[in-house]
Amino acid sequence: MKTITRLMLSILLLLGMTDMTAQTFKLSGDLRGMLTEDVATARWEHGRLVRRTSDSQSHLSLIMKVTDAQQMAQVCDDYGMRMVTDLGHIAVVDVPVSQIAKAAADSRVVRMEKEGGFHFCLDEARIAANVNPVTNGDNPLPQAYTGKGIIVGVLDAGIQYNHPTFLDANGQPRFRKVWDFDDNDGEPEPVVLTNAADILARKYSYSTCNGVGATNHGSHVAGIATGSGRYRGMAPESDILFADAAVNPLSERAYELYSDYLLTSVKNMTDYATEHQQPLVVNISLGNNLGFSTETKLLQEAFGLLTGPGRIIVAANGNEGNPEESKSYFHSGSNLTESIDFKGRTMPMNYDIIWKTGGALSFTLDIWMGAEHNTETFSTTQLADGMLPAVERSAYKMSFLQLDDAPDGKHIYRLRFVPKEANKSFDIAASVTAEQSFEAFCKMLSISSADPAEGCTISNAYTSIVPGAFPNVVAVGNYCSRVLPNDYYYSEELEKTVTDVQTGVMNPTSSWGPTWDGRNKPDVSAPGSIISSGNWYNPNNEEEVVETYDIEGSDAKETWTGQSGSSQASPTVAGIVALWLQAKPDLTPDDVLSVIKNTSHAIEPIPNNHSGAGIIDAYAGLCSILGLSTAIPSLSKNQPEHVTFRLAGNVLYADGAEEGTPVTVYSLSGTVLQNTTVQQSRISLSGLYKGVYAIQLGKLGSTLIRL
């Protein structure tokens, strides 16, 4: 492997990039770093970063783009590649490491990319997102929209397949296909299951049972989008696809969850949906912070190929937005010299500081980690073909390389810090000198101070994560709609019970935009704070457990927990999109974003980089999709609060409505058919034929009925 690395370094010095003036690299930053730093052969064992000595990792899976789709097969043959996922001129390929630089030098190859670092970012949520009127068949809607016939794909880590919330009315799994892993001497080995009995018998996915970071994050997420149990999800009759992200990036295998896995998983799901001629919405409650870097451009382009009519991707916007706890973005303003202090605690992952400037940049780093102190110096003027040799110390490894230029033409550089031992506090004090104003974005670090502070900006901008930051993906922020009893405490000063939890606002942890090219993100927000959903029983997290029941005939348990994050907000929206697809199966991402923009409840001026269009409203969105917002512009797009409807023959009961409340009955084409009032909670609909009608109840709101 060392021989391969030396070979790759020498070829990279010759290859480097296709256009030095534009700084357009054929190999993405992570891929170049792997080939020169041995990162591809590293793993964490017993709390320390070690290098594999075998040659078993001489192949890499990555995303490749060629100039012509007709050339893809020939390029693969020429360089000993194995096709994994084919999207025409973009593909995921398994390639011998020794052939990567040779292939990149081929004029038919446009770019090769492997980016890593992706991490995991109902009762109350259904009410806050106005889902109950849509899914409740007892309400007098034209029909109950429950996601029936729609596929919800969940790409996540860890799931309990036999949890009752994923079973249908006959006790059968609603999973149609799962991409999981078996254990092969401590390493994941792919396995695909389509048989319901096999899926049910499996009980848990690989990520739930293996690794230091064993998790069941996927159960909670999938339950919010699709659950049919005690705490119903948004689309309780939808079909489910699940792809287990076999590696939790917070566990010992910190370098094995990459963008090529995301692409392959989504492609597998779209292939299944196409084969079975069903609409599909995919939820991705994980992501990677890139700041203003554009290193996942192939993944973004590929996702654009996989979305379209009846093909929607929804993703979490991230959980790194709290400026009170940590700040990740710095802008020097007019300051050309600055001292910035970065703090962190080592875990099995990489720590990046992304720099952006229009001129030369140099800095001196004083690094304290435990008892060890080192001083490192880096300068953009020292780069050779966009890279500097990595610096290796006893406690860490450090590298500095140039990435693709930003859309505004400024240069972007990545400083990577890789600690060799976990659970150590560290401090990086950077003294920066620049020719022009500069920006910094830190990943998994926090900016604790800057000097001088005057004139500079420190915030959590640019924390929206990939793939939610992509223009063709619906990104979801975390809205706080709930306060639990244990969040209250007695204030002696006020002599009453109070809480510090704010509702009706964005959760402070929810990530901010903009994106690297200046677009606003998130697109929309949804309840994601303290959401109850299905999860496995973990005795170490009993404080989160809402309820636990034994599953008859199984050693597993039916457990419900409350968790928070944009990971929970995202499947709320994905499930709602499934309901909308049931009403209009050919919705495109642009259609969904338009409905969201026109029907969500804004909580701050639009556009913005905190809450997007506001809080999603399932019922208002459904009215818009059914055409009621244009056919009946005077119709309210919300159901009345504190009013319960029930239909008996040609009489609609509106329990809770005041006597004499005016009522207007519309056809779906917008024609006024009746003007009447509420009398003894009754609305007479005599004279109307069988069909679907819209009912406007004064200024309280509206509902739909089917006679």
Side-chain angles (χ1 to χ4, degrees):
M1 184 57 68
K2 290 182 179 179
T3 301
I4 291 174
T5 300
R6 287 195 296 269
L7 172 65
M8 296 309 302
L9 178 58
S10 63
I11 296 177
L12 280 171
L13 292 177
L14 296 175
L15 177 66
M17 56 211 71
T18 58
D19 183 355
M20 276 295 294
T21 58
Q23 293 297 347
T24 302
F25 295 91
K26 273 203 173 184
L27 305 183
S28 70
D30 261 12
L31 183 53
R32 285 187 291 136
M34 287 178 184
L35 298 178
T36 58
E37 300 167 22
D38 278 341
V39 174
T41 66
R43 68 177 291 164
W44 284 77
E45 292 180 0
H46 309 296
R48 288 191 62 82
L49 186 67
V50 298
R51 310 290 170 182
R52 291 182 178 136
T53 57
S54 72
D55 202 34
S56 63
Q57 296 298 307
S58 59
H59 284 244
L60 281 178
S61 175
L62 51 84
I63 305 174
M64 180 174 71
K65 180 179 179 180
V66 297
T67 54
D68 183 352
Q70 302 300 320
Q71 296 290 325
M72 180 64 78
Q74 188 60 54
V75 170
C76 288
D77 287 343
D78 289 348
Y79 299 103
M81 302 176 184
R82 179 179 62 86
M83 179 76 71
V84 177
T85 302
D86 185 5
L87 281 80
H89 64 294
I90 296 177
V92 175
V93 295
D94 182 79
V95 55
V97 171
S98 60
Q99 296 296 306
I100 292 177
K102 296 176 183 178
D106 193 313
S107 61
R108 296 169 296 176
V109 175
V110 178
R111 180 175 170 85
M112 304 174 83
E113 179 176 290
K114 187 175 184 70
E115 290 299 304
F118 291 84
H119 56 276
F120 301 99
C121 355
L122 293 141
D123 46 345
E124 184 74 15
R126 289 176 60 90
I127 296 171
N130 209 11
V131 173
N132 286 333
V134 178
T135 62
N136 192 343
D138 295 333
N139 282 345
L141 289 169
Q143 70 176 80
Y145 292 92
T146 60
K148 191 174 183 64
I150 309 303
I151 299 173
V152 177
V154 178
L155 170 55
D156 216 289
I159 199 165
Q160 180 179 335
Y161 295 119
N162 68 340
H163 195 292
T165 202
F166 302 128
L167 305 180
D168 62 20
N170 298 317
Q172 295 301 308
R174 288 162 45 223
F175 294 100
R176 299 296 174 249
K177 192 170 186 177
V178 302
W179 292 265
D180 205 337
F181 297 84
D182 286 331
D183 185 68
N184 181 14
D185 194 24
E187 293 297 327
E189 184 175 78
V191 60
V192 179
L193 300 174
T194 57
N195 182 276
D198 292 341
I199 295 172
L200 193 65
R202 196 173 185 84
K203 297 181 183 178
Y204 298 106
S205 71
Y206 178 89
S207 293
T208 303
C209 307
N210 295 273
V212 174
T215 179
N216 221 37
H217 187 268
S219 283
H220 203 265
V221 167
I224 294 171
T226 70
S228 60
R230 287 174 172 82
Y231 295 93
R232 276 203 309 169
M234 307 299 134
E237 290 192 314
S238 58
D239 296 334
I240 308 171
L241 300 178
F242 182 77
D244 192 37
V247 180
N248 180 345
L250 303 182
S251 73
E252 61 184 6
R253 293 177 293 274
Y255 303 102
E256 296 178 12
L257 185 59
Y258 290 93
S259 53
D260 52 285
Y261 176 81
L262 269 68
L263 177 54
T264 296
S265 297
V266 175
K267 178 64 163 55
N268 287 339
M269 292 178 180
T270 57
D271 286 348
Y272 180 93
T274 299
E275 178 186 352
H276 291 80
Q277 299 182 341
Q278 291 178 264
L280 167 73
V281 54
V282 177
N283 182 82
I284 304 177
S285 285
L286 53 86
N288 185 15
N289 293 97
L290 293 184
F292 23 73
S293 168
T294 61
E295 289 296 285
T296 52
K297 58 183 65 177
L298 288 190
L299 183 64
Q300 175 175 320
E301 185 177 349
F303 270 32
L305 297 174
L306 294 174
T307 54
R311 301 289 183 267
I312 313 297
I313 299 176
V314 179
N317 200 55
N319 303 319
E320 298 175 29
N322 193 344
E324 300 303 322
E325 295 182 1
S326 64
K327 301 178 180 67
S328 55
Y329 171 72
F330 173 88
H331 194 300
S332 69
S334 60
N335 300 336
L336 300 184
T337 59
E338 193 77 41
S339 295
I340 313 172
D341 194 53
F342 303 92
K343 292 186 181 297
R345 187 171 185 84
T346 63
M347 299 176 70
M349 62 178 59
N350 300 326
Y351 299 82
D352 292 345
I353 305 175
I354 311 295
W355 305 86
K356 178 180 177 182
T357 185
L361 182 74
S362 62
F363 34 82
T364 299
L365 307 173
D366 281 308
I367 303 171
W368 288 268
M369 187 173 170
E372 184 169 339
H373 170 249
N374 291 290
T375 299
E376 315 288 3
T377 59
F378 296 92
S379 174
T380 59
T381 60
Q382 299 172 332
L383 292 169
D385 293 316
M387 303 184 72
L388 283 178
V391 174
E392 185 137 18
R393 307 296 184 192
S394 61
Y396 60 83
K397 189 171 186 176
M398 210 162 202
S399 62
F400 185 63
L401 58 80
Q402 184 168 0
L403 306 177
D404 288 343
D405 285 349
D408 60 8
K410 292 185 177 180
H411 305 310
I412 300 179
Y413 306 92
R414 187 190 74 193
L415 181 72
R416 170 158 288 178
F417 178 76
V418 184
K420 295 181 179 179
E421 189 170 355
N423 300 316
K424 295 285 187 181
S425 296
F426 64 91
D427 186 290
I428 301 176
S431 298
V432 187
T433 302
E435 286 185 335
Q436 300 181 20
S437 64
F438 65 93
E439 299 167 78
F441 177 86
C442 53
K443 177 180 175 181
M444 309 309 294
L445 297 169
S446 62
I447 300 173
S448 59
S449 65
D451 184 26
E454 297 78 14
C456 68
T457 300
I458 305 177
S459 73
N460 272 1
Y462 293 98
T463 51
S464 294
I465 60 176
V466 167
F470 293 163
N472 52 301
V473 174
V474 180
V476 187
N478 175 8
Y479 171 76
C480 185
S481 62
R482 189 178 204 184
V483 181
L484 292 180
N486 59 4
D487 291 321
Y488 288 91
Y489 63 93
Y490 183 78
S491 170
E492 295 184 356
E493 180 182 355
L494 299 176
E495 297 183 343
K496 64 178 182 179
T497 301
V498 297
T499 180
D500 295 326
V501 177
Q502 283 188 280
T503 58
V505 298
M506 296 301 293
N507 189 299
T509 65
S510 191
S511 288
W512 307 2
T515 62
W516 51 84
D517 53 358
R519 290 174 291 107
N520 295 110
K521 284 285 179 173
D523 298 298
V524 71
S525 298
S529 301
I530 323 174
I531 306 301
S532 297
S533 182
N535 206 7
W536 71 327
Y537 178 71
N538 185 341
N540 296 325
N541 293 320
E542 288 187 324
E543 70 277 2
E544 297 179 349
V545 171
V546 177
E547 296 173 279
T548 300
Y549 305 90
D550 292 328
I551 297 178
E552 186 175 352
S554 173
D555 56 357
K557 289 181 180 290
E558 173 190 343
T559 301
W560 304 88
T561 62
Q563 296 182 14
S564 301
S566 61
S567 284
Q568 281 63 44
S570 180
T572 299
V573 172
I576 289 172
V577 169
L579 307 180
W580 293 351
L581 284 169
Q582 187 180 354
K584 193 175 188 301
D586 60 350
L587 286 174
T588 67
D590 285 344
D591 293 335
V592 171
L593 290 170
S594 178
V595 170
I596 283 171
K597 180 179 178 180
N598 294 328
T599 62
S600 298
H601 302 289
I603 58 176
E604 57 186 311
I606 297 172
N608 64 76
N609 284 306
H610 297 90
S611 61
I615 312 308
I616 194 167
D617 188 318
Y619 177 73
L622 179 63
C623 288
S624 176
I625 290 166
L626 293 175
L628 301 185
S629 58
T630 54
I632 317 173
S634 58
L635 190 73
S636 298
K637 302 307 182 293
N638 61 282
Q639 285 213 333
E641 294 183 8
H642 312 302
V643 176
T644 302
F645 294 102
R646 52 192 175 91
L647 193 61
N650 275 48
V651 175
L652 176 65
Y653 288 86
D655 298 326
E658 292 185 3
E659 187 79 1
T661 299
V663 176
T664 304
V665 181
Y666 297 92
S667 69
L668 294 188
S669 64
T671 303
V672 176
L673 302 177
Q674 285 186 8
N675 282 302
T676 182
T677 60
V678 176
Q679 300 292 330
Q680 297 180 339
S681 299
R682 294 159 52 102
I683 301 171
S684 175
L685 302 175
S686 60
L688 296 179
Y689 296 101
K690 289 184 178 180
V692 178
Y693 301 94
I695 311 294
Q696 178 69 39
L697 197 64
K699 296 182 179 180
L700 299 179
S702 68
T703 193
L704 304 179
I705 66 166
R706 179 186 292 275
L707 290 179

